[in-house]
Amino acid sequence: LERLSGQPQETALSDQCLEAARRLTQEFNSTWNRLEEAANGIIKEISAAVGEVDRLTAQLAPLNAMIRQEIAQGRSPNNLLDRRDQLVTQLARLINVDGPPSDKPGDVMTAGSGTLVIASGAPGLEVVKTSDGVELQVKGGDVWVSPSGGKLAGLLASLADIRQVQGELQTWFDSLRQSFDHIQATGLGSSGPFSSTTATRSVMSST
């Protein structure tokens, strides 16, 4: 491109650059599509994981209430405690659970650094689409959930990495495209100078 910008009348060099631009554009589109497919796959995994979180919290909420009732009546609900431990372990694989369960009156189990309350009647988790992908939110409110552990944290981090790569790739390609636009603006083609040229993007200056 540097040689061509200094010698726009060189048709052979111009043809080489145009062919290189065509190949680069194909590679860019192919790479972008692969990244987008990977991102869409991750978004599907996030949605599935959120559904599993809601399923587990829906089981834990009444189970906690039953355990507290049994303890209040002086009984040891070992089977219920074992079941809760299993559910908490499964939940922690998906999202960070905030500390061990407490059976003291008034204590509430939470996940996602206190943003997701696990109690009867408490809203669950949902996936919200954004310009960059997705975020997690408590249903029916404006409380955003940012997992610090579990599968959801890993998936969200992977999605953010893909979006970052796409942004850097787009910046690089835009810069390259501007270089080709500048050369086109000289108005020189394989048959000599053009009286006018047509492009899909405007050119601020032809010099």
Side-chain angles (χ1 to χ4, degrees), residues 130-197:
T130 67
S131 58
D132 292 330
V134 296
E135 292 188 16
L136 305 184
Q137 185 181 37
V138 175
K139 291 178 180 177
D142 56 357
V143 179
W144 298 96
V145 180
S146 299
S148 61
K151 183 178 182 178
L152 280 171
L155 290 172
L156 289 169
S158 295
L159 181 60
D161 288 343
I162 289 176
R163 295 310 187 201
Q164 181 179 350
V165 171
Q166 285 181 309
E168 294 172 352
L169 186 62
Q170 185 68 63
T171 299
W172 172 82
F173 190 78
D174 286 345
S175 177
L176 183 65
R177 185 170 56 188
Q178 287 172 7
S179 297
F180 279 104
D181 286 348
H182 176 73
I183 294 172
Q184 183 190 26
T186 62
L188 290 169
S190 59
S191 300
F194 292 127
S195 59
S196 65
T197 58

Side-chain angles (χ1 to χ4, degrees), residues 10 19 69 109 147 151 161 168 205:
E10 293 291 336
E19 176 60 22
Q69 184 177 12
M109 183 187 296
K151 183 178 182 178
D161 288 343
E168 294 172 352
S205 173

Side-chain angles (χ1 to χ4, degrees), residues 17-34:
C17 284
L18 289 174
E19 176 60 22
R22 184 189 64 79
R23 291 198 302 268
L24 281 172
T25 299
Q26 289 179 339
E27 287 296 325
F28 173 84
N29 289 333
S30 178
T31 300
W32 185 275
N33 289 336
R34 288 196 298 270

Side-chain angles (χ1 to χ4, degrees), residues 65-77 80:
M66 293 170 59
I67 289 172
R68 289 179 180 177
Q69 184 177 12
E70 289 291 301
I71 292 175
Q73 295 177 0
R75 293 190 286 267
S76 298
L80 296 178

Side-chain angles (χ1 to χ4, degrees), residues 12-164:
L13 187 57
S14 176
D15 290 342
Q16 291 175 14
C17 284
L18 289 174
E19 176 60 22
R22 184 189 64 79
R23 291 198 302 268
L24 281 172
T25 299
Q26 289 179 339
E27 287 296 325
F28 173 84
N29 289 333
S30 178
T31 300
W32 185 275
N33 289 336
R34 288 196 298 270
L35 289 170
E36 197 62 27
E37 287 176 6
N40 290 334
I42 290 175
I43 291 173
K44 288 181 180 179
E45 286 191 67
I46 290 173
S47 297
V50 165
E52 184 65 8
V53 167
D54 283 345
R55 185 186 71 81
L56 292 171
T57 55
Q59 295 181 60
L60 276 167
L63 189 57
N64 281 331
M66 293 170 59
I67 289 172
R68 289 179 180 177
Q69 184 177 12
E70 289 291 301
I71 292 175
Q73 295 177 0
R75 293 190 286 267
S76 298
N78 293 326
N79 290 336
L80 296 178
L81 291 169
D82 289 342
R83 176 57 180 158
R84 182 176 65 181
D85 287 344
Q86 293 174 0
L87 292 174
V88 169
T89 298
Q90 294 177 45
L91 182 62
R93 295 193 185 106
L94 299 170
I95 189 172
N96 55 298
V97 177
D98 306 318
S102 173
D103 299 313
K104 296 179 181 179
D107 285 354
V108 178
M109 183 187 296
T110 60
S113 302
T115 53
L116 181 63
V117 176
I118 304 171
S120 297
L125 196 60
E126 67 178 346
V127 179
V128 179
K129 291 185 178 180
T130 67
S131 58
D132 292 330
V134 296
E135 292 188 16
L136 305 184
Q137 185 181 37
V138 175
K139 291 178 180 177
D142 56 357
V143 179
W144 298 96
V145 180
S146 299
S148 61
K151 183 178 182 178
L152 280 171
L155 290 172
L156 289 169
S158 295
L159 181 60
D161 288 343
I162 289 176
R163 295 310 187 201
Q164 181 179 350

